[in-house]
Amino acid sequence: LQIWIQPGARGLAPEYEQKAFEDRDLRDTLRVIAAPDGRDGAVTIHQDVTLSASRLTPGATVRHAVAPGRFAWLHVARGAVALNGTPLQAGDGASVSDECLLMVTATEPAEILLFDLA
């Protein structure tokens, strides 16, 4: 997938960063892959967004706490999951607001992206 995120300020010099993450670092856990501070080896982005990824085995659940005033977007890149009980399939996306905890459970092998947004 190619993802474009608008920067949080005007006049920033264009940047490009690409990184591969090992399967073991994504398996059945949410791994931060992009963040404003580039923490834990993630790529750096100039926006108040944290992007996490996971590769889930069937039955595995990952959890994400959403801070008050923030939103989330879940994209199912492959497979099928249930987001707080709502079924989603490859290509589906879900916008989430007014939820404090997201629980994503794989109903088949799945790959997801989770955006934590201001």
Side-chain angles (χ1 to χ4, degrees), residues 46-101:
H46 300 285
Q47 184 54 273
D48 188 4
V49 175
T50 299
L51 173 57
S52 299
S54 184
R55 292 186 183 135
L56 298 167
T57 55
T61 298
V62 292
R63 292 166 178 77
H64 178 73
V66 182
R70 295 192 64 86
F71 306 89
W73 176 267
L74 179 73
H75 178 78
V76 182
R78 293 185 179 99
V81 300
L83 170 60
N84 289 0
T86 300
L88 300 168
Q89 299 177 34
D92 287 345
S95 176
V96 181
S97 59
D98 300 324
E99 292 281 346
C100 59
L101 180 65

Side-chain angles (χ1 to χ4, degrees), residues 3 19 21 26 31-35 41-44 50-53 113:
I3 299 165
K19 183 168 186 167
F21 293 89
L26 299 171
R31 167 69 159 90
V32 174
I33 61 171
V43 298
T44 302
T50 299
L51 173 57
S52 299
L113 295 171

